[in-house]
Amino acid sequence: GKSLLLSTMEAYFLGKRDLFKGLAIERLETEWNTHAVLHLDLNAEKYDSTERLHDMLERQLQKWEETYETGGKGITHSGRFMEVIQKAYEKTGRGVVVLIDEYDKPLLQNLHDEEMQNRLRNMLKPFYGVLKTMDRAIRFALLTGVTKFGKVSVFSDLNNLDDISM
């Protein structure tokens, strides 16, 4: 259900009104504005090394950089993510939507290896920290996962998160 929720949010923020035909939101939403949507799915990879996470982030960043013409070669993943958000915001004139599916997947796959967890956490923390740094350019952000934010400690820099766990 979490991935379906993110796909639904993506369709909504892309202004795909036709997908909501016959639903209450079709008549409740009056503007159907289109936003830049940055959707990162961490579910599809096996994270048995930091290189695997690096490669996943690299592929996604390259795709976004092509779309928003940032050319962010030679800087950190978090710096490139910031640049993509800024360019997307400037290009569209609207706040960017960030959707991250299974934000905690790399850590969960390494519960047995504390050293690997720490290395992956050190990669993810600055990447996710961009959500606070770029708050002024972000309209909406939703992250899904199975662990509580506090237990993962990649969000210690963020103070504006609402945990809507069930």
Side-chain angles (χ1 to χ4, degrees):
K2 297 183 303 277
S3 298
L4 178 59
L5 173 63
L6 286 186
S7 296
T8 302
M9 297 304 288
E10 181 174 14
Y12 171 76
F13 282 109
L14 289 174
K16 296 184 176 184
R17 183 180 191 163
D18 55 312
L19 295 178
F20 297 91
K21 196 159 197 68
L23 301 176
I25 196 166
E26 179 189 24
R27 65 181 181 280
L28 293 173
E29 180 59 70
T30 58
E31 296 184 18
W32 289 96
N33 290 324
T34 302
H35 296 266
V37 176
L38 304 177
H39 189 164
L40 174 62
D41 185 352
L42 292 175
N43 196 39
E45 189 67 63
K46 181 171 173 41
Y47 300 102
D48 53 5
S49 68
T50 54
E51 289 78 19
R52 298 292 285 268
L53 178 57
H54 178 277
D55 291 347
M56 171 63 87
L57 294 175
E58 189 65 31
R59 283 191 308 272
Q60 189 61 63
L61 283 165
Q62 286 177 2
K63 181 177 149 189
W64 292 336
E65 287 167 343
E66 286 176 27
T67 301
Y68 297 103
E69 301 168 341
T70 63
K73 304 281 187 252
I75 55 176
T76 63
H77 286 146
S78 56
R80 289 167 63 193
F81 189 30
M82 284 175 37
E83 189 175 342
V84 167
I85 291 171
Q86 184 62 41
K87 280 285 200 181
Y89 176 68
E90 290 170 5
K91 188 174 183 176
T92 63
R94 291 193 177 92
V96 175
V97 173
V98 179
L99 305 173
I100 302 178
D101 201 4
E102 301 291 344
Y103 79 90
D104 52 358
K105 186 73 169 233
L107 301 173
L108 290 175
Q109 287 183 349
N110 290 280
L111 287 174
H112 62 284
D113 187 343
E114 191 172 328
E115 181 184 330
M116 179 60 72
Q117 270 199 330
N118 286 331
R119 290 178 21 216
L120 293 168
R121 189 177 292 113
N122 289 337
M123 289 178 70
L124 290 170
K125 188 173 180 177
F127 189 80
Y128 293 147
V130 169
L131 299 175
K132 180 176 182 178
T133 303
M134 296 304 295
D135 186 50
R136 71 190 182 295
I138 295 174
R139 163 74 173 88
F140 180 81
L142 181 62
L143 292 76
T144 69
V146 297
T147 55
K148 291 276 194 185
F149 292 141
K151 296 201 187 297
V152 179
S153 75
V154 292
F155 298 111
S156 59
D157 295 338
L158 297 177
N159 56 7
N160 58 347
L161 295 175
D162 290 323
D163 184 349
I164 59 171
S165 299
M166 295 182 151

